[in-house]
Amino acid sequence: MRLEALVQDSLRSVLDRLGFPSPEIPVDRPPRRELGDLSSRVAFFLAPQMGKSPQAVAQDLARALSSHPAFAQVRAVQGFLNFVLRPEALHRVLAAVLEDGLSYGKGEEGQGKKLQVEFVSSNPTGPLTIGHGRQAVLGDVLANLFAELGWPVTREYYLNDEGRQIELLAQSLWARYRQALGDPQPIPEGGYHGDYLVPIAQELAAKFGNTYPTWNEETKNTFRAEVVPRMLRLIEEDLEAVGVRFDVWTREGDLIRRGLVGEVLEELRKRDAVYEKDGAIWLSAKAHGLGRDPVLVRSDGTPTYLMVDIAYHLDKFRRGFDWVVDVQGADHVEEQQQVKLALQLLGLPQKFLSYCLHQFVTLKGQEGIEKMSTRAGRFLRLKDLVEEVGRDATRYFMVMRKPESHLVFDFELAKKQSLENPVYYVQYAHTRIASVFREATARGEMPEDFLSLDLSPLREPEELVIIMELDRFPDVLRIAAHEFAPHLLCEYLENLAGIFHPYYARVRILGQGRVTSARLALLAGVRLVLFRGLSILGVKAPEAM
RNA sequence: GCGCCCGUAGCUCAGAAGGAUAGAGCGGCGGUUUCCUAAACCGCAGGCCGCAGGUUCGAGUCCUGCCGGGCGCACCA
């Protein structure tokens, strides 16, 4: 049984007996070790209805629990209830972890439901930058986390392969093509200046020769058809480098061709949520507390990005998703409010769509590309970053901060293969255990299996603390997923490694008789959780380094 | 001007739902190695939690106002 449930159950039975059932029983870790292993603030909540001080309530509860077999001690301190666990209770926790094995921490909350995580969704106007990298890893790890909680997860990429930006890109490519033929054609106003178009332009110059001397409708269609698949290939290379795969790619053009836009517009019109002005169709957002009314259909009759995005989300709903999580950068705040409003007006459940919003990435010590821009051709390509610092460090660094904080990517630190680098610190804990296991096997000290082992020799303080920490893992996964906060998992793993390394340095594992078997079982638990955690982050858990 | 996010140690950051004396890593200083990988470990120094009010038994956490930073405020996507 998990420790939180153990404490809750014990308290619940006492409270029921006293006639004060409490629906919610908080269980925490005390701020300092000396106070105890676990604590509860339940007395603060009960004090008013019991007509006593929190401390008096806590004392009553402590007395009632004093004979509980799992607790060595229950103390009332300033209204808090502090529990000291018997080692046997912790040994049972470790046994349960080992029994669960690779499924330790998995949940069932998502069973029978469908979740979509939409992320990256970068316009196919160039390769992915390290900014997109944060989103790629964030979305991927969130998807992994929800999968752990039992959700069937669809990873989806929304591809804006239509519109003005693509046209500008095509024209930029055409200009590069003309340049390749010796015609000094300038990149258009607001166009794409990146070098990545140059080799493609050279290729097209060789292929077409002088077939397209002027920018016209035919040239535009030709260059657009050439450029989009090539940009997609660049994006796929970047995603591949960072180890991210998508299940579904949805193209904006397909949504438009399916006629969804007209349908959604009709619905919005019925609900009086849109109006016409200057030949365009506007969403009545101001009337619902937003800052301005955005255009849904331009006066030339074409739908805006926002319009299609609304239709896209209605389509997601119809595809049967129970919940959609969109991972987006901080520059999309306004759009998020608008889409949410529109969906609400269309009658979708409020909780259908959640946004995981993240701030941008800056590179430490890289003058000139601190402010990245694909359009200006000023960026560091994701694939190049991965080649430089490795996939593991890239992924880890991208999610080690909470999404709503700015991320300063420390290039030099990420490259270091030493303890200063948190990802190596965690990986090294795993490697060490693997190494001890190899040595144990070589010496013939490895137990047949850990499940029926006597764990009672585990009595060192660090051993009990480590088990307490292993017990937290399922909570960490749950909170990291629902708070959209994968950094909590990084923090947890660093902490676990941070108690393991000193323990390993102080205590001998091998050559200790039956203590050795028990300690190997403890190490197996640590290794299991490190492996599970690193896997969820998409980072390797190496056997040797 | 309006909207969203952020402001915690020299640096980079944790402190889910308000809880006990605010934590970690790096950097700095000082130590540890006949022994399972020192790619490690131990110790020390370092804080008016941006500022000012408020809410309450209790605020880094909630509310209000200010200050500072990021992003957005297009018939671009």
Side-chain angles (χ1 to χ4, degrees), chain A residues 330-384:
Chain A
D331 51 341
H332 288 264
V333 190
E334 191 185 32
E335 167 207 338
Q336 295 175 2
Q337 294 170 342
Q338 291 162 349
V339 171
K340 280 200 141 181
L341 172 65
L343 294 185
Q344 193 188 317
L345 294 171
L346 288 168
L348 266 64
Q350 183 79 39
K351 288 190 295 186
F352 173 67
L353 171 64
S354 299
Y355 284 102
C356 167
L357 182 133
H358 68 88
Q359 293 291 336
F360 297 116
V361 182
T362 45
L363 262 183
K364 185 177 175 183
Q366 302 286 306
E367 303 296 326
I369 50 171
E370 283 148 347
K371 203 88 170 129
M372 281 175 280
S373 159
T374 304
R375 208 175 301 202
R378 186 177 63 229
F379 59 85
L380 179 63
R381 201 181 158 180
L382 183 56
K383 188 179 154 204
D384 297 335

Side-chain angles (χ1 to χ4, degrees), chain A residues 73-228:
Chain A
Q73 211 177 41
V74 185
R75 280 175 304 209
V77 181
Q78 294 168 43
F80 293 90
L81 265 176
N82 293 333
F83 298 81
V84 179
L85 296 163
R86 287 190 190 282
E88 295 73 33
L90 290 165
H91 298 156
R92 280 195 293 277
V93 169
L94 175 59
V97 170
L98 293 171
E99 194 169 333
D100 281 359
L102 287 174
S103 63
Y104 179 55
K106 284 192 189 295
E108 298 177 350
E109 64 164 64
Q111 274 186 8
K113 301 189 214 164
K114 279 173 71 184
L115 169 69
Q116 182 202 66
V117 180
E118 184 206 322
F119 59 114
V120 185
S121 298
S122 164
N123 297 341
T125 54
L128 299 181
T129 69
I130 68 163
H132 301 116
R134 182 175 200 185
Q135 184 162 140
V137 180
L138 194 52
D140 195 42
V141 173
L142 279 178
N144 286 344
L145 281 166
F146 281 109
E148 292 294 332
L149 301 185
W151 289 85
V153 183
T154 299
R155 283 156 223 254
E156 188 149 328
Y157 191 119
Y158 179 49
L159 199 63
N160 299 113
D161 56 348
E162 301 274 320
R164 177 98 189 104
Q165 293 305 319
I166 297 297
E167 200 173 298
L168 268 171
L169 176 74
Q171 199 179 344
S172 304
L173 177 62
W174 173 78
R176 290 290 195 191
Y177 150 84
R178 293 310 303 170
Q179 288 169 11
L181 291 172
D183 169 16
Q185 198 58 238
I187 307 281
E189 178 88 25
Y192 291 81
H193 292 80
D195 293 338
Y196 56 89
L197 289 178
V198 174
I200 299 171
Q202 284 164 349
E203 194 189 312
L204 292 182
K207 178 174 163 188
F208 293 143
N210 203 22
T211 317
Y212 300 98
T214 55
W215 181 249
N216 55 33
E217 198 64 20
E218 190 202 345
T219 307
K220 183 170 90 183
N221 290 335
T222 304
F223 278 77
R224 187 154 67 180
E226 291 287 347
V227 79
V228 170

Side-chain angles (χ1 to χ4, degrees), chain A residues 120 126-128 157 159 228-246 249 251 381-383 391:
Chain A
V120 185
L128 299 181
Y157 191 119
L159 199 63
V228 170
R230 286 184 164 84
M231 293 302 105
L232 265 178
R233 206 165 312 142
L234 293 179
I235 289 170
E236 279 165 353
E237 283 171 16
D238 287 314
L239 291 172
E240 168 73 27
V242 81
V244 173
R245 282 220 138 94
F246 286 88
W249 295 70
R251 287 168 178 264
R381 201 181 158 180
L382 183 56
K383 188 179 154 204
R391 180 190 286 185

